[in-house]
Amino acid sequence: MGSRNHHLSLFLLIFLMLLALSGFPNAQAQAESRLDITSSDGSKFPVVSLNVIASTGDSSRLSDLSGLILSEAGQQIADYEVAETYVGTELIFIIDANASIGQRDDAGGQTRHEKVRDSILRYANQFMDEEQLDRVSIIVPSEDGADLLLDRAVFPNAVINEINFYEALPVDPTPLNEMISLALDRATESYGDGRFQAVVLFTDGAELDEQLDYPTLVDKAQAINIPIFSVILGARADEDEITNVNGLSQPTRGSYVHMPEPTGTDPLYSLIQSHGPQFQVQYRSRLASSGLHDVAVELAGARAETQVEVEVAPPATEIVVDNSRPIRRVVASPDDPLTSAEPASQPIVARVTWPDGHPRMLTDATLLVDGSPQPPASNPELSADGLIILDWDISNLDEGTYELFVKVNDELGLQGHSNVLPMAIIVEGLAGEVTETMDTAPANEVEEGTDKAFQDLVQNLSLAGLAIGLLALFGAVIILILALVLLRRRRRTKAIKAQTAVPTAQSASPGEHEATQVIMPAFAVQSSASAYFEPLENAPDHGNNITLTSNNVAIGRDPKLAQVVFADKSVSRLHARVMEQNGVFQLYDEGSASGTYINFKQITLKPQVLNDNDDVHFGRVHLRFHVVPTVEDADSTQVMPSPVRSDEASPMAAEEDLSTQPYMPNQPGSAGRPQAPPPRDAPPPATDEDEDDISTQPYMPHSPRR
């Protein structure tokens, strides 16, 4: 009996070992924690920045990097700083739209497709970054294979629009392996952007073990450290469905959630978005040579490596002192020693530049005189212009020429040095120089007298030139005044002649009066402006610009109701109207279902003015409005008929002197122009025949994709 139990236990143990090694999805082990360097930046060398993602085995973000070990070129860096910087996320949705996608799990409830739609809408509305740093793609099945419905959209409105208008046509079986492979390929292409990437798979999970090549997909995901999260659809999640999705999720640091309602994915979205901000590690590099250098970080047994490329060159130094004049040292009394001469020290200015474009700190700077070093300056600070001042002790130096030389060392141990600059010193006032000074005194006095006479001459000439200049200016002013007086008299004469010409024509006989016309010069008038729409998105039926040919243009999907027609389903049969009056264009919404937008803001039934270069949306149709003003010929003339007296004129008209009223031509096109429609409180009631076959979700416009 004992032997039989022993054999039974041994058989059971062997069976369990075979099950563990059989490669079933549920036998996959949970992946280790993740440490990944998403980017490295050496542009501000010697300061180097690293962006780091650190997470647990299920991709939960670590709260800090306590215990992080940083090394560069094999040498550990102890001093570094950790901050956070928002990089964004890249999320790829995969919709396994098989035969069950239209199923309702409870009577009167939403279909699975509607739950998936609302879940993605929640992500776009509540979780995407407003600064457009997040990216979203959507992959769906089609009869031809995997279809990329949305590719790396950065605007929440773009995600909202695509998922609202997506019609899930069941494909059974779905090309799910191809769809996941496409998602991983797209993620590989953008891996270098540095965002946290994730795949979210909506599926019922029932047939994954028959559809997927688990080893190949897992290897592709692990190569770029991208987790695959699974969302199980249906009223419940069975054990076989959980086992199937875990075959993808567990080895890629992902997980699964069951979604009986759209809110079930909120915790998953919160986890993904927590990786939008990444850890930024900054340190001062010690690299003293150009090229690629290895940098590594370690934390809790996980390790990540990258390479930093730097270009390093020694500092360049030059002395910027003017040596064309000697340094003069003066002794107060001939009997005083040389050491009493002033000045006793001389500042030497040197400029330090960086040929590699990376300014650094200096550890020391030294001035050498004839090869002998002066006391060095420790940790000198450079000015904004890269200047440094060193003191030269000249208290014991006699007359002569000395060779100056400056060298500096930077924080990387690289040394720069200047060229040799000769500098002369003259000492005045020592014994033996008095006679020479007295002999030269008369010459100096003569020279000073000559200089004074020359200065007096220059001053007299300056006063004479000033007087001549004032006289010339006064004459110019007189000439200008005379010219203005003559010009005014000439204009007045012309005006008098013009005024006397009109009464001559009016003094004619009554019969001649009717035929008389006064010719008035025409003035330039602004004619009615022309305008057109430039198609940008979702208007394939209009390849060229859409010109507005009248001042009342209806826009819609029904050719019987609209002059400008778009076939897109988001456009209502009668969607909107553009009216123009006196060169002003106004846009009216005709009670459309998908809405009318100007510059991404929805307009109401109240008319809104259209300006040049405005972005306009009719549902999903995206256009740009342009105005082209036209001006009539300003050189033409207009013939003004003389007023004709009529015996049938009204008494009020008879009292007015019509002949003195100037003729004012009407603005072109103003006659008969329709006025703006009266305000409408509500759109006209729609009949069954007038309903538009579009989604009930409102359209949210967005800028064109980047």
Side-chain angles (χ1 to χ4, degrees):
M1 184 69 179
S3 177
R4 180 179 300 175
N5 291 337
H6 175 73
H7 289 299
L8 183 60
S9 299
L10 182 61
F11 175 78
L12 181 60
L13 178 61
I14 294 174
F15 175 77
L16 293 175
M17 292 178 62
L18 291 175
L19 181 63
L21 297 175
S22 62
F24 287 164
N26 63 342
Q28 298 284 355
Q30 182 71 41
E32 297 178 351
S33 58
R34 173 185 179 183
L35 190 64
D36 193 13
I37 301 176
T38 60
S39 68
S40 59
D41 181 14
S43 61
K44 297 180 180 179
F45 186 84
V47 176
V48 177
S49 299
L50 307 174
N51 288 349
V52 177
I53 293 177
S55 62
T56 61
D58 62 351
S59 292
S60 297
R61 185 178 188 269
L62 294 180
S63 59
D64 58 60
L65 295 184
S66 300
L68 180 75
I69 299 176
L70 172 65
S71 60
E72 178 188 65
Q75 300 294 321
Q76 184 171 337
I77 305 294
D79 296 329
Y80 60 83
E81 297 179 355
V82 179
E84 286 190 356
T85 180
Y86 198 92
V87 179
T89 62
E90 181 175 2
L91 184 55
I92 304 176
F93 290 107
I94 301 175
I95 303 177
D96 184 13
N98 56 26
S100 68
I101 195 67
Q103 179 178 333
R104 300 180 189 273
D105 298 313
D106 49 84
Q110 291 181 303
T111 64
R112 294 182 179 181
H113 166 233
E114 292 171 341
K115 292 179 181 179
V116 171
R117 178 200 64 194
D118 289 352
S119 173
I120 296 177
L121 288 176
R122 290 181 65 83
Y123 179 78
N125 284 316
Q126 301 182 25
F127 293 92
M128 285 188 71
D129 176 59
E130 296 180 354
E131 301 299 325
Q132 303 162 17
L133 294 176
D134 296 333
R135 293 179 177 177
V136 173
S137 301
I138 302 176
I139 297 177
V140 298
S142 67
E143 296 180 356
D144 300 327
D147 184 18
L148 190 61
L149 181 67
L150 186 65
D151 186 22
R152 298 169 184 162
V154 297
F155 293 99
N157 289 344
V159 181
I160 294 171
N161 294 335
E162 290 297 338
I163 199 62
N164 271 337
F165 288 97
Y166 167 62
E167 297 179 1
L169 301 178
V171 178
D172 198 18
T174 57
L176 191 55
N177 197 83
E178 180 183 349
M179 294 164 64
I180 299 176
S181 182
L182 174 61
L184 297 177
D185 290 340
R186 300 295 295 171
T188 301
E189 292 177 4
S190 56
Y191 176 73
D193 294 343
R195 292 177 173 83
F196 177 84
Q197 298 175 307
V199 172
V200 174
L201 170 63
F202 291 97
T203 180
D204 59 11
E207 300 178 357
L208 264 63
D209 55 338
E210 301 176 2
Q211 296 175 280
L212 302 183
D213 179 2
Y214 282 99
T216 301
L217 296 177
V218 168
D219 288 344
K220 292 179 70 172
Q222 290 178 342
I224 56 174
N225 280 330
I226 183 170
I228 300 177
F229 298 97
S230 300
V231 179
I232 300 178
L233 306 177
R236 65 179 184 276
D238 296 333
E239 288 297 328
D240 59 333
E241 297 171 351
I242 296 175
T243 300
N244 288 340
V245 298
N246 275 340
L248 285 176
S249 298
Q250 286 189 349
T252 60
R253 301 187 184 90
S255 58
Y256 80 91
V257 294
H258 175 226
M259 190 186 75
E261 297 296 334
T263 57
T265 51
D266 286 359
L268 174 60
Y269 295 153
S270 297
L271 183 149
I272 293 172
Q273 284 305 111
S274 69
H275 289 282
Q278 295 183 14
F279 296 107
Q280 187 174 73
V281 180
Q282 287 190 346
Y283 68 95
R284 296 190 73 87
S285 175
R286 300 174 182 173
L287 300 173
S289 60
S290 301
L292 288 172
H293 301 273
D294 295 330
V295 177
V297 290
E298 298 181 51
L299 181 65
R303 178 182 174 88
E305 298 180 352
T306 190
Q307 288 187 319
V308 177
E309 183 175 8
V310 297
E311 180 181 353
V312 186
T317 308
E318 63 172 334
I319 300 176
V320 291
V321 175
D322 182 9
N323 66 341
S324 61
R325 296 181 179 181
I327 300 173
R328 295 183 178 273
R329 301 188 65 207
V330 179
V331 179
S333 172
D335 297 331
D336 290 341
L338 177 64
T339 55
S340 66
E342 294 292 339
S345 65
Q346 178 69 27
I348 301 298
V349 181
R351 176 179 286 111
V352 180
T353 57
W354 307 93
D356 55 17
H358 302 306
R360 301 182 286 276
M361 295 186 298
L362 297 179
T363 58
D364 61 77
T366 305
L367 171 66
L368 293 88
V369 181
D370 291 341
S372 299
Q374 299 286 303
S378 300
N379 300 319
E381 293 186 4
L382 297 175
S383 68
D385 297 330
L387 300 179
I388 183 175
I389 301 177
L390 302 174
D391 286 331
W392 178 19
D393 183 6
I394 59 175
S395 59
N396 292 316
L397 298 183
D398 203 345
E399 291 187 348
T401 300
Y402 301 87
E403 293 185 343
L404 306 184
F405 177 81
V406 173
K407 68 176 182 179
V408 296
N409 291 294
D410 66 13
E411 61 182 294
L412 303 179
L414 300 177
Q415 186 178 95
H417 54 79
S418 69
N419 294 327
V420 174
L421 180 73
M423 179 63 71
I425 295 179
I426 295 178
V427 180
E428 298 178 352
L430 292 177
E433 296 182 356
V434 178
T435 303
E436 180 180 353
T437 304
M438 293 178 61
D439 293 341
T440 58
N444 291 339
E445 292 178 359
V446 173
E447 183 177 348
E448 291 178 0
T450 303
D451 290 344
K452 187 176 185 304
F454 178 75
Q455 292 175 359
D456 293 341
L457 177 61
V458 171
Q459 184 176 3
N460 293 332
L461 291 176
S462 299
L463 292 175
L466 180 60
I468 294 173
L470 290 175
L471 289 176
L473 179 61
F474 179 76
V477 171
I478 295 299
I479 294 173
L480 180 60
I481 293 173
L482 292 176
L484 291 175
V485 170
L486 291 176
L487 180 61
R488 177 175 293 182
R489 288 182 177 179
R490 181 174 299 179
R491 289 182 177 177
R492 183 177 301 173
T493 303
K494 289 184 178 180
I496 293 173
K497 291 181 179 179
Q499 292 175 0
T500 58
V502 176
T504 302
Q506 293 176 350
S507 64
S509 63
E512 295 175 350
H513 181 77
E514 296 181 357
T516 303
Q517 293 180 337
V518 180
I519 307 301
M520 299 290 291
F523 52 88
V525 296
Q526 181 72 32
S527 69
S528 298
S530 62
Y532 65 91
F533 283 113
E534 175 189 1
L536 296 181
E537 288 185 299
N538 299 319
D541 37 358
H542 293 276
N544 299 319
N545 293 333
I546 306 167
T547 303
L548 303 183
T549 57
S550 69
N551 55 12
N552 188 346
V553 178
I555 299 168
R557 197 176 73 247
D558 191 347
K560 298 178 181 179
L561 302 176
Q563 287 81 46
V564 177
V565 180
F566 298 97
D568 194 277
K569 293 189 300 182
S570 65
V571 179
S572 300
R573 296 176 61 196
L574 179 58
H575 195 106
R577 185 180 303 274
V578 177
M579 299 187 71
E580 181 265 343
Q581 184 176 12
N582 296 331
V584 178
F585 291 84
Q586 290 186 318
L587 180 61
Y588 301 76
D589 184 89
E590 294 287 358
S592 63
S594 297
T596 303
Y597 298 80
I598 298 178
N599 294 327
F600 312 103
K601 294 183 179 180
Q602 186 173 9
I603 68 173
T604 62
L605 298 180
K606 181 179 179 181
Q608 297 292 325
V609 175
L610 280 172
N611 296 310
D612 190 34
N613 285 326
D614 277 352
D615 282 79
V616 180
H617 281 80
F618 303 113
R620 294 197 310 170
V621 176
H622 186 185
L623 312 171
R624 183 160 292 146
F625 180 76
H626 296 280
V627 177
V628 183
T630 58
V631 179
E632 292 184 356
D633 187 3
D635 295 331
S636 62
T637 60
Q638 296 177 351
V639 179
M640 185 184 74
S642 299
V644 179
R645 294 184 180 273
S646 174
D647 296 338
E648 299 176 358
S650 63
M652 182 177 296
E655 293 177 0
E656 296 177 353
D657 184 10
L658 299 178
S659 63
T660 62
Q661 300 296 323
Y663 171 73
M664 297 300 293
N666 291 327
Q667 295 293 333
S670 62
R673 184 180 307 279
Q675 301 299 319
R680 294 164 291 175
D681 296 332
T687 63
D688 294 339
E689 297 178 355
D690 195 44
E691 291 182 353
D692 297 299
D693 181 20
I694 60 173
S695 169
T696 59
Q697 296 290 335
Y699 176 80
M700 299 295 291
H702 61 282
S703 297
R705 294 172 186 155
R706 297 178 177 175

